[in-house]
Amino acid sequence: MAGKPEGHRRRVGAVRPSHLMFTGGVGALVDLPNFSVLVKGLDDWDYRPIPGWEPLAEPRLLAAVQTLLGKSVEQLRPAPWMSDRDQSGMAARVGVPTMPFPAWMRCTACNILAPIESQVVFGFENPKAHAPHEARFFHKNCPRKKSGPRPLAVAARFVLACTAGHLDDFPYVRFVHRGGTCEVEFPPLSMDDRGGNMGANVEIKCDRCGLRRNITEAMGRRSEQSLPGCRGRHPHLSTFESCTRPVRVLVVGASNQWFAQTLSSLWVPEMGASVLDAKVAQHWTSLYGIPGPNMLPFMRGAVPALREFDKWDDQAVWDAIERHRARLDGVEATKAEGYPDLRTAEWEVLSAPELPEPDEDFALRRDPEGVPEPLRGVYADVVQAERLREVRALIGFTRLDAPDPEDPELVTRAPLARDRATWVPASEVRGEGIFLKLPEDLLADWEKRVENTLALREHKEAYGRFRTHRYSDRIRGAFDEMQHWPGARFYALHTLSHLLIRTIALECGYSSASLSERIYAGSDDDRRSGILIYTAVPDAEGTLGGLVSLAEPANLVRLTRRALRDAMHCSSDPLCSERLPQAPADFLHGAACHVCLFVSETTCERGNRFLDRRFVVPIDDPDLALYPELP
């Protein structure tokens, strides 16, 4: 992470590439050991020093990003990174640009509070180039420090944010003077920070006129009278815009200061396509500009992606390029507006009777004996995904409210760049997984049994209350409180997925955070009934074959039986087993809690919502259970 523009860069820390996608991406505050920084917008990122850099190839995901952000997006780029082992010294100049934020600092010795721009007050030092984590701000002339190192200056721990994605410094001068001014334009301030919950014991004092005020007066309902209106500031873009939404005080490090809005897709070959056609689709961003077959001999040496086409002659490659171009033209002409569909192609491949030919990015295997005999009534198909490749793209972020995974417009998305972005950050992970398909007749009969039950009705009404409380004031025109209702089938599949993930984590050594899920639950017109549990971490744990081996008949029987048996009891019962989201509650789970069903946020695709054990095993009325009799 670099802290200053070209020519004056200083490394101030390091984070994983995945960190830039999910917890500390564009517009997010990142806590470093001695201060915090804000990741700047895409306009300031620089890939020029990186030799051999290439964008990530994932055509379906790129098309989905273009649906939401526009055709200006042409690439999915991984994080700018070079190994520190590089001997040229170029690695020190590669990184993500950041800026110190909040822009107010407090001396840990004398409690003086002032902006970083006060050069007379604060200085910056990073004495060890090989230890960027030791970079720090200090108080130059602290009256309480007579000898030794100069005292550390830390970030004043309050900021303002609104639901439109704006972020701003806390207005300390205006706050302590209750909207008025002091005798001087920039009076000296001090912050007496004694700790406490939500800043309940932090007092701001004007050392010039003696006025004092506690931060608690800016919290809760009193904030409307104590705080100014939102200035519409995007500090990561250095821009301001008009905004009428109320602001809230956040503590630096609060989990709701930044939520990533991402899209992800698995690389899957197109059904009926040959290996060559699949390769062309995968590397389309490198191939679409080739003018004709006569250029292919030259391009094979100039374009790294074409090295994977060595076993095909130029005419065969060109014919495949032309077929893919015609296919894209047809899709473009018929594409409907709306949220992009990234699951249909995956479902078609994973559930196909004949599996596609394996390649280095995707390989499936099905046991010749089919589903193990003891699980014939539980699963209709079991597929071992020996190789998977997932690409994730960051398309924006939100503040205070997490984005809705089904409707991207319900929460205001903050932009990644000042103008139309020509690329978005992306990451690539490789892993393995297990695909489980449930019998359609089993699910259809169960849906009929629970359709008019009190339990399902309570869940549907809670979903309507949830959307009304959260979104009704943001939607212009008619508001459909039941839009995107996932349906009873999703509850059953999602709950079973969590039961299996927790069992895998408990019995087989995988941490639940290293696993991810993809639920394929169709509507009345599209009867999907699948679960994919897969590794999605950028380290060796996800590619050693451990998860695939759990789909072997003996292991799968043992895991499934244990998962369903453990679901019958929870140490929070009877509170957990009897829970239903009755009015006025608007939580979106029933018999589910941290003890029995919840998993980490990176694992669950729906934020631990739409879960209920009673819909899978008979903890209540047996007619509500998908499996009234355990295998």
Side-chain angles (χ1 to χ4, degrees):
M1 305 184 76
K4 292 195 175 185
E6 180 69 37
H8 301 280
R9 291 179 174 175
R10 293 179 180 174
R11 283 208 163 190
V12 293
V15 297
R16 285 171 172 257
S18 59
H19 192 91
L20 293 173
M21 293 292 299
F22 296 106
T23 55
V26 173
L29 289 172
V30 179
D31 282 327
L32 299 177
N34 296 320
F35 59 99
S36 64
V37 296
L38 183 81
V39 180
K40 301 189 73 173
L42 301 184
D43 308 275
D44 297 311
W45 290 36
D46 187 4
Y47 283 82
R48 288 175 299 172
I50 308 177
W53 173 86
E54 288 186 26
L56 297 177
E58 182 49 53
R60 288 195 306 117
L61 182 59
L62 180 59
V65 173
Q66 291 173 339
T67 300
L68 294 178
L69 302 185
K71 289 293 185 181
S72 62
V73 180
E74 299 177 350
Q75 292 179 335
L76 307 174
R77 295 187 178 182
W81 176 86
M82 283 187 67
S83 172
D84 289 332
R85 298 175 183 176
D86 180 73
Q87 301 298 317
S88 66
M90 192 177 294
R93 299 192 296 274
V94 175
V96 175
T98 61
M99 58 182 284
F101 197 90
W104 284 74
M105 308 292 287
R106 177 181 67 88
C107 174
T108 55
C110 68
N111 288 331
I112 187 174
L113 180 68
I116 296 177
E117 287 78 7
S118 304
Q119 301 294 332
V120 177
V121 181
F122 298 120
F124 178 81
E125 61 182 3
N126 188 4
K128 300 178 182 178
H130 63 279
H133 59 278
E134 295 185 11
R136 70 184 200 124
F137 286 91
F138 58 88
H139 188 188
K140 291 182 178 179
N141 301 304
C142 180
R144 295 192 179 182
K145 197 67 176 178
K146 303 302 182 182
S147 61
R150 290 168 290 192
L152 178 69
V154 298
R157 59 190 182 104
F158 300 102
V159 294
L160 300 182
C162 80
T163 54
H166 299 128
L167 187 70
D168 207 348
D169 286 294
F170 188 88
Y172 294 103
V173 175
R174 177 172 176 174
F175 174 75
V176 73
H177 293 96
R178 301 183 182 274
T181 59
C182 191
E183 301 172 4
V184 295
E185 185 177 1
F186 300 105
L189 303 179
S190 61
M191 172 185 281
D192 188 6
D193 187 347
R194 304 185 185 96
N197 185 34
M198 282 298 294
N201 207 15
V202 177
E203 186 179 69
I204 309 300
K205 177 186 176 183
C206 176
D207 296 331
R208 179 77 176 188
C209 62
L211 287 178
R212 301 170 180 263
R213 200 174 187 188
N214 200 290
I215 289 291
T216 54
E217 297 185 37
M219 305 289 185
R221 297 179 179 179
R222 290 183 290 179
S223 64
E224 295 182 6
Q225 290 76 36
S226 302
L227 297 175
C230 181
R231 298 196 301 169
R233 183 185 181 190
H234 284 308
H236 67 293
L237 304 178
S238 301
T239 61
F240 292 84
E241 59 189 17
S242 176
C243 182
T244 59
R245 299 190 186 184
V247 294
R248 284 179 54 185
V249 178
L250 293 182
V251 178
V252 173
S255 60
N256 62 342
Q257 61 91 10
W258 190 86
F259 295 98
Q261 188 167 12
T262 62
L263 294 176
S264 70
S265 70
L266 300 177
W267 158 247
V268 293
E270 187 174 339
M271 291 302 296
S274 64
V275 175
L276 175 57
D277 290 330
K279 287 283 186 186
V280 169
Q282 180 179 357
H283 297 289
W284 183 244
T285 54
S286 300
L287 303 178
Y288 74 94
I290 298 178
N294 58 327
M295 287 294 295
L296 279 170
F298 168 75
M299 299 297 289
R300 284 180 185 271
V303 180
L306 278 172
R307 296 168 189 165
E308 299 189 24
F309 295 81
D310 290 342
K311 62 181 180 180
W312 293 283
D313 60 39
D314 293 342
Q315 190 59 47
V317 173
W318 178 251
D319 290 343
I321 291 174
E322 289 291 272
R323 286 195 300 271
H324 189 71
R325 198 188 312 276
R327 191 180 303 116
L328 289 180
D329 291 341
V331 171
E332 188 67 29
T334 59
K335 185 169 64 177
E337 295 183 358
Y339 202 88
D341 176 19
L342 290 168
R343 299 296 174 92
T344 297
E346 298 170 10
W347 164 256
E348 289 176 349
V349 173
L350 292 168
S351 63
E354 295 186 10
L355 301 180
E357 296 182 33
D359 61 28
E360 66 273 13
D361 291 331
F362 191 76
L364 303 180
R365 179 165 61 90
R366 182 181 283 127
D367 192 290
E369 301 298 325
V371 179
E373 181 63 32
L375 301 179
R376 292 285 169 86
V378 179
Y379 307 127
D381 191 16
V382 178
V383 176
Q384 295 166 287
E386 297 178 329
R387 288 193 295 274
L388 291 174
R389 173 178 173 265
E390 182 188 29
V391 179
R392 303 158 177 166
L394 179 69
I395 62 172
F397 64 89
T398 64
R399 301 198 194 277
L400 302 182
D401 284 338
D404 189 286
E406 292 297 324
D407 193 338
E409 303 302 326
L410 289 180
V411 180
T412 302
R413 178 176 64 243
L416 301 177
R418 287 185 287 272
D419 300 319
R420 285 183 174 271
T422 58
W423 60 274
V424 294
S427 67
E428 176 186 68
V429 291
R430 297 177 184 271
E432 55 182 340
I434 304 172
F435 174 74
L436 303 169
K437 181 181 178 182
L438 274 62
E440 177 57 36
D441 55 350
L442 174 71
L443 280 167
D445 292 343
W446 172 79
E447 285 177 309
K448 292 178 182 178
R449 293 202 311 269
V450 303
E451 183 177 5
N452 297 313
T453 60
L454 173 64
L456 186 62
R457 187 164 61 250
E458 294 284 10
H459 279 288
K460 294 180 71 173
E461 291 175 357
Y463 179 77
R465 290 192 296 270
F466 173 81
R467 281 179 53 86
T468 300
H469 295 165
R470 193 177 182 195
Y471 303 126
S472 59
D473 60 339
R474 305 179 191 175
I475 304 300
R476 297 178 180 176
F479 175 71
D480 182 4
E481 64 179 18
M482 295 308 296
Q483 187 177 14
H484 303 300
W485 160 249
R489 177 176 297 221
F490 187 91
Y491 271 85
L493 293 171
H494 195 205
T495 302
L496 179 60
S497 173
H498 278 226
L499 291 172
L500 292 171
I501 287 173
R502 290 175 64 93
T503 304
I504 290 171
L506 288 173
E507 182 169 317
C508 305
Y510 281 103
S511 66
S512 63
S514 68
L515 302 174
S516 290
E517 65 178 1
R518 295 176 91 84
I519 309 299
Y520 303 94
S523 59
D524 294 337
D525 300 327
D526 185 7
R527 312 300 287 178
R528 302 180 192 177
S529 56
I531 301 168
L532 176 65
I533 300 173
Y534 63 104
T535 56
V537 289
D539 56 27
E541 183 179 3
T543 57
L544 297 179
L547 184 58
V548 166
S549 68
L550 301 182
E552 297 296 335
N555 292 333
L556 186 61
V557 170
R558 185 184 71 256
L559 285 172
T560 303
R561 284 175 170 171
R562 178 175 178 179
L564 297 179
R565 184 177 65 250
D566 290 351
M568 292 291 296
H569 306 284
C570 172
S571 60
S572 295
D573 287 342
L575 293 177
C576 179
S577 62
E578 295 176 357
R579 182 186 296 113
L580 274 174
Q582 298 174 337
D586 63 356
F587 53 84
L588 299 181
H589 63 272
C593 67
H594 287 282
V595 177
C596 60
L597 272 185
F598 290 176
V599 296
S600 64
E601 293 182 2
T602 56
T603 297
C604 179
E605 65 177 8
R606 298 303 296 270
N608 283 319
R609 301 186 181 113
F610 311 113
L611 298 167
D612 198 328
R613 286 185 292 139
R614 62 170 53 86
F615 289 144
V616 175
V617 294
I619 63 171
D620 193 357
D621 182 355
D623 287 339
L624 294 176
L626 182 66
Y627 304 116
E629 297 181 3
L630 303 186

